[in-house]
Amino acid sequence: MRVYLDNASTTPMFPEVIEHMAEIMRENFGNPSSIHQHGRKAKSIIEYARKTVAKVINASIGEVYFTSSATEANNMILKNAVQDLGIKNIISSPTEHHCVLHTLDYLHLSKKCGVQYVDVDAYGNVDYAQLEKFLKKSTIKTMVSIMHGNNEIGTMADIQRIGKLCKDNHALFHTDSVQTIGKYDIDVQANNISFLSGSAHKFHGPKGNGFVFISNENIISPFIHGGAQERNMRAGTENVSGIAGLSKALERVSHNMDANRVNILHLRNTFKQKLSEYFEDIKFNGRQDGQFMAHVLSVSFPPGPKTDMLVINLDIAGISVSSGSACSAGIEEDSHVLKAIGHDTERKTIRFSFSEFNTEEEIIYTVEKLKGLTNISK
Ligand code: PLP
């Protein structure tokens, strides 16, 4: 048996998405910028996809642009909001994805913008009182960039609350919603969101396809210069089949969102309960009640020679998972997210992440394998 429990990294594509993309590559190969029928057909596929994304996040069609990834979308938002909208201060959190944090480092080091980080607690919750304090104290044009759901530990931010704080304090709000699009309701208007990013491969679509929402009130200049594609915002001939795959996958996940979440939460709960039952001294990272993502379970195992090798040994046993560590100068250390929540550095963390393709049988298989691979069974 081969078990895939790394769905926060990427997800298997829906077979019908692959079919749909193949058909488009075969039948609709026109360049969307061409005015003949082949071109117009390709263009209409992109515009249909734009409508799909806009509907899911309650945006206007003209506020959605396709990109190569969420990494590109986040770069575009942060760099061009500073360049074009006079943003002088960005308030973020230390648990953001590297594509946000490294962009903020760049903006800060090149003196383009000041950056402030709010604290997070041991569960990864941002300190909302501190955020409010920072916002109230800021006399320069400010943007808040806080992710909706954390990809490593699953903790979710209260975007409604952050949106309100931003509105009350005249700040713009950017949220990286890569881990939550198609899994949780997101309403850009109700939550005062100015910028948002998403990525198809996290919801069973193709890799290399992302999108960005830019509210009509905050127009920024093109990120990639060239032709007039994406209404001049992002030059380069569009990846038509990829965009079609993104929209097809998003339609399907958002249609079954509530039922999927219930099923995935059931898998997570079963797994968590069995781990607690069988193993001594394990810890779960991130929020375990209230606002957390059903598809992520971050588990810390006690130190020991066996747990050190767990990711590799699980792989050999047929189970794909991610570790919670980063390799820095050849030394394995806790990721920036685990460091930010004050995780015990001696412990070995594994992120198990689920999708609708996983089964209870796979969960039970994984627990059985873990029993053999660790020496901490009760
Ligand atoms: N933001 C978050 C929270 C992510 O989990 C990821 C992917 O791991 C990204 C951004 C980057 O997305 P992409 O792979 O589309 O560049």
Side-chain angles (χ1 to χ4, degrees), residues 231-248:
R231 300 188 314 290
N232 282 313
M233 280 296 286
R234 202 264 180 192
T237 303
E238 299 89 336
N239 179 352
V240 182
S241 59
I243 292 170
L246 181 153
S247 113
K248 187 93 177 159

Side-chain angles (χ1 to χ4, degrees), residues 8-9 69-71 74 97 99 147 149 151 176 178-179 199 201-202:
S9 286
S69 59
T71 296
N74 286 334
H97 191 269
C99 67
M147 71 201 318
N151 50 305
D176 170 341
V178 167
Q179 293 290 339
S199 185
H201 74 103
K202 307 289 182 176

Side-chain angles (χ1 to χ4, degrees), residues 115-177:
V115 181
Q116 288 179 291
Y117 292 98
V118 289
D119 295 332
V120 294
D121 67 13
Y123 301 97
N125 297 303
V126 296
D127 185 335
Y128 296 100
Q130 190 185 33
L131 174 62
E132 185 170 12
K133 210 155 89 190
F134 282 177
L135 281 167
K136 286 206 180 317
K137 269 195 166 170
S138 185
T139 51
I140 45 183
K141 195 156 180 198
T142 298
M143 178 157 87
V144 170
S145 176
I146 288 181
M147 71 201 318
H148 191 196
N150 186 277
N151 50 305
E152 287 195 35
I153 55 172
T155 299
M156 289 175 77
D158 186 343
I159 53 171
Q160 196 178 8
R161 188 168 174 185
I162 299 173
K164 177 147 189 344
L165 281 175
C166 288
K167 190 171 185 184
D168 292 348
N169 293 283
H170 315 289
L172 300 184
F173 179 23
H174 160 229
T175 189
D176 170 341
S177 60

Side-chain angles (χ1 to χ4, degrees), residues 53-64:
V53 175
K55 194 166 159 217
V56 167
I57 60 173
N58 194 26
S60 304
I61 298 169
E63 294 176 316
V64 174

